[in-house]
Amino acid sequence: MLVRRILLLVPMMLGIVLFVFLVMQLSDMDPAAAYYKGANPTQEQLHAFREENGLLDPLPVRYVHFVGDLLHGDMGISVLTKSPVLDQVTTAMPLTIQLTLLGLGIAIVLALLLGVTAALYRDRLADQVIRVVSLTGVAAPGFWLALLMIQYLAVETGWFPTGGYVNPADSFTGWLESLTLPAFALSLPIAAQLTRIVRTAVVEELDKDYVRTAIGGGLPPVVVVGRNVLRNALINPLTVLGLRVGYLLGGAVVTETIFSLPGMGKLMIDAVQNGDPAVVQGVVITTAVCFVFVNLVIDILYLLVNPRLRSAS
């Protein structure tokens, strides 16, 4: 099964690259106009730029050249900064990965803590409160949470910076402070969704006969829940988690812009505003590759926690 999943990555990535290429080619972005931005170029200069960079070639020819360059690690040259897109992506990518992983960790911890608590105390006060909180989190937009956090936890109290990024090599404390609010703003909607899924999965597992038999046989409930119930109940949340990683990567675009973080999201927003299609293509394709890779990891974890699936495969 794992081999089949890996083999499927090839046509999947080719499809992603084709889709991104066609969208960018059909967009209103003009690399020639962006290159001469503010310089009032003549039509002859614009034509010469397009001819020199292969923009006048037939669409299939441009696509073949584009894929060939990607296979050699060449994402093109930014028409604004005149620097390789790959260099800009590799500079911005670490921050986005840090933000996504931190947000993912917060979402998992909150979902497990609240979801298991709600399941163990189902239909009681704790369960009702957690249901209301999780429903509110699902309905609340991430950008709205980010603005509230900046207002109340940064501007009014001064506990956290309003924006900016500190490299962990310079100051670990400063790095943690600079990413705490963005990570929470990014993770809370995901945590709220996962909490509801974890609660449902744990409740279903607690109602099964083997749980009652184990507890009736003298095993401590903590051991039964921690060793058996959680492992079986986490199968469905794992599947949802793989899909939610895409939301985290996409949500980073808005979050990084709000908190002025120089990551992939801000890089793409700036590229769209300035009409730099090569950078937009590079960011989108890199983000798609990361999303596909994370889902492959989730598939591996799914195999590990689900022995029946390993037996079937």
Side-chain angles (χ1 to χ4, degrees):
M1 179 175 290
L2 187 58
V3 172
R4 289 199 299 269
R5 297 288 176 89
I6 294 175
L7 292 177
L8 283 174
L9 295 182
V10 177
M12 186 183 301
M13 291 310 305
L14 287 176
I16 291 172
V17 170
L18 176 61
F19 176 76
V20 174
F21 174 80
L22 290 177
V23 169
M24 296 309 303
Q25 293 299 317
L26 297 175
S27 70
D28 294 333
M29 287 189 182
D30 186 358
Y35 182 82
Y36 289 106
K37 189 174 182 179
N40 296 321
T42 63
Q43 290 299 320
E44 289 76 14
Q45 289 176 310
L46 294 174
H47 182 80
F49 178 88
R50 296 186 182 110
E51 187 174 17
E52 180 182 352
N53 290 274
L55 299 177
L56 301 179
D57 294 338
L59 194 62
V61 175
R62 278 181 280 164
Y63 176 68
V64 171
H65 290 163
F66 179 62
V67 174
D69 291 340
L70 282 180
L71 293 176
H72 290 87
D74 182 5
M75 292 184 174
I77 303 295
S78 169
V79 295
L80 293 176
T81 63
K82 314 302 186 293
S83 62
V85 174
L86 183 61
D87 292 347
Q88 298 185 48
V89 169
T90 53
T91 300
M93 193 65 188
L95 189 152
T96 300
I97 291 177
Q98 294 168 26
L99 177 61
T100 302
L101 291 179
L102 189 58
L104 185 63
I106 293 172
I108 291 173
V109 171
L110 290 177
L112 288 177
L113 180 62
L114 297 177
V116 173
T117 301
L120 294 177
Y121 295 92
R122 56 179 153 172
D123 298 328
R124 301 186 207 173
L125 179 61
D127 183 24
Q128 300 298 335
V129 171
I130 291 174
R131 284 188 188 183
V132 172
V133 171
S134 62
L135 185 60
T136 304
V138 170
F143 72 89
W144 181 71
L145 292 174
L147 294 175
L148 287 181
M149 289 179 179
I150 291 175
Q151 177 64 33
Y152 294 107
L153 298 179
V155 175
E156 294 190 3
T157 64
W159 292 346
F160 298 96
T162 57
Y165 174 71
V166 177
N167 195 302
D170 299 330
S171 171
F172 178 78
T173 303
W175 169 81
L176 193 59
E177 289 177 349
S178 66
L179 288 187
T180 297
L181 289 187
F184 267 98
L186 192 62
S187 66
L188 288 182
I190 302 298
Q193 296 173 19
L194 288 178
T195 294
R196 299 169 65 84
I197 297 171
V198 169
R199 179 200 176 277
T200 301
V202 173
V203 165
E204 291 177 354
E205 208 65 29
L206 288 173
D207 287 337
K208 292 185 177 177
D209 292 336
Y210 81 88
V211 176
R212 290 191 289 268
T213 302
I215 295 177
L219 283 176
V222 175
V223 175
V224 177
V225 172
R227 181 184 298 174
N228 303 106
V229 172
L230 267 183
R231 179 168 182 173
N232 294 330
L234 287 180
I235 294 175
N236 289 336
L238 262 180
T239 306
V240 177
L241 183 63
L243 300 175
R244 296 301 88 181
V245 170
Y247 172 88
L248 288 172
L249 291 171
V253 174
V254 179
T255 304
E256 289 175 1
T257 303
I258 292 175
F259 287 93
S260 300
L261 298 174
M264 295 280 282
K266 192 170 186 305
L267 179 63
M268 185 170 70
I269 291 295
D270 292 342
V272 170
Q273 291 176 343
N274 295 318
D276 198 344
V279 176
V280 176
Q281 287 178 157
V283 171
V284 173
I285 290 174
T286 304
T287 304
V289 170
C290 292
F291 177 67
V292 170
F293 175 76
V294 169
N295 276 272
L296 178 62
V297 174
I298 295 295
D299 288 340
I300 296 174
L301 293 176
Y302 194 79
L303 289 172
L304 292 177
V305 300
N306 193 349
R308 290 173 297 182
L309 194 57
R310 292 202 300 272
S311 301
S313 61

